[in-house]
Amino acid sequence: MRYLGKKVAGVPATDGAGVKLKRVIGSPALDMVDPFLMLDEFGSDDPASWIAGFPEHPHRGFETVTIMLDGRVKHADSVGNQGVIEAGDVQWMTAGSGIIHSEMPERAEGRLRGFQLWVNLPGKLKMIAPRYQDVRAERIAAATGNGATARVIAGEAFGVKGAADTLMPVRLLDVKVDANAAFEIDVPDEHACFIYVYEGAVRVTDRNGNPVDVVSGTLALLVGNDGVRLEAGESGAKLLFADGKPIREPIARYGPFVMNTREEVQKAFEDYSRGELVSA
Ligand code: MN
């Protein structure tokens, strides 16, 4: 059974045109979980904290995955895609060689909540053609059993195939564990694995087998071999579960560009400033 390698709370950050968010992966406390480069939790009941959104900006060299829990975000990009991501929907975007897009809240009141996860690509895939997968909530099948429900966004779980088509061995689940139930799942030994609890709490064990609670707003890195067991208490829990095969390549990242070398990042900036980031 895997055990707790590290526990990290999200730290407040500001991105886009002033959106307040919680950065969970991609902070000094947790630089990355190869192949996952970044995890942000965004949103609150206060529109002032998010209404400015993410106006037009570029990406190159990786994938962005947006998971909406509440609210509506309008998306438009340089490939010509456009749409609204609503509660329960996921957008899996492969920036590849380059994309310029905007991500803007659709309404000015109510609650907005969701996540953005960045998945790295290996050097040989960094410059592939951009791709956008609009994964509607109804297309995301759920695997249920033992008091837990896992919406299979990507990868495969309990025989249920993920709705998003992935380029790399990556699994992403949105899991609800009922009160006093446990969620158990196998994970390939070579994969990195984390959970991010966004409601309630789950109990895992440390390397000595002692119980540790992982509460809402906390990421737990689960290391070791075999599967994962997450026990929920009386409040139950909701969490993101992710595992993936580490890419183990050098990383040069700056803002919206994640490449293998500094020269490649420099080139991305130059291409963007010359209006050549997006190949026609
Ligand atoms: Mn973006």
Side-chain angles (χ1 to χ4, degrees), residues 27 75 104 133 147 184 212 214 228 234 268:
S27 74
H75 158 270
M104 301 296 290
Q133 297 177 69
E184 245 182 89
V212 183
V214 182
V228 163
E234 277 174 11

Side-chain angles (χ1 to χ4, degrees), residues 57 59 101 103:
H57 59 278
H59 293 292
H101 73 165
E103 301 158 291

Side-chain angles (χ1 to χ4, degrees), residues 37-178:
L37 297 161
M38 197 191 81
L39 176 66
D40 282 344
E41 178 176 7
F42 56 82
S44 72
D45 294 327
D46 173 19
S49 73
W50 45 258
I51 196 63
F54 298 84
E56 213 165 74
H57 59 278
H59 293 292
R60 173 181 280 177
F62 60 101
E63 301 185 289
T64 71
V65 182
T66 307
I67 303 138
M68 290 298 294
L69 297 180
D70 288 303
R72 293 158 62 88
V73 166
K74 193 172 182 178
H75 158 270
D77 69 34
S78 53
V79 184
N81 296 301
Q82 189 167 315
V84 176
I85 318 167
E86 299 186 59
D89 294 346
V90 171
Q91 182 210 77
W92 198 291
M93 189 193 78
T94 305
S97 59
I99 205 163
I100 297 172
H101 73 165
S102 60
E103 301 158 291
M104 301 296 290
E106 254 263 292
R107 58 167 195 223
E109 69 283 331
R111 188 180 169 82
L112 180 82
R113 195 176 185 202
F115 307 96
Q116 190 164 88
L117 177 70
W118 287 12
V119 183
N120 202 9
L121 290 172
K124 64 172 193 234
L125 295 177
K126 282 187 179 296
M127 295 300 280
I128 61 167
R131 180 171 67 151
Y132 162 87
Q133 297 177 69
D134 186 9
V135 185
R136 294 279 160 210
E138 57 269 23
R139 278 188 51 217
I140 303 174
T144 54
N146 295 330
T149 304
R151 296 172 68 228
V152 187
I153 297 167
E156 194 177 334
F158 313 106
V160 176
K161 269 203 77 175
D165 179 29
T166 61
L167 296 162
M168 300 292 297
V170 164
R171 177 166 52 184
L172 179 60
L173 312 174
D174 180 20
V175 182
K176 177 177 175 289
V177 190
D178 293 340

Side-chain angles (χ1 to χ4, degrees), residues 167-203:
L167 296 162
M168 300 292 297
V170 164
R171 177 166 52 184
L172 179 60
L173 312 174
D174 180 20
V175 182
K176 177 177 175 289
V177 190
D178 293 340
N180 304 311
F183 174 70
E184 245 182 89
I185 188 165
D186 279 336
V187 180
D189 284 354
E190 72 272 24
H191 280 205
C193 177
F194 74 83
I195 58 165
Y196 179 71
V197 180
Y198 63 86
E199 258 179 65
V202 289
R203 183 163 282 190

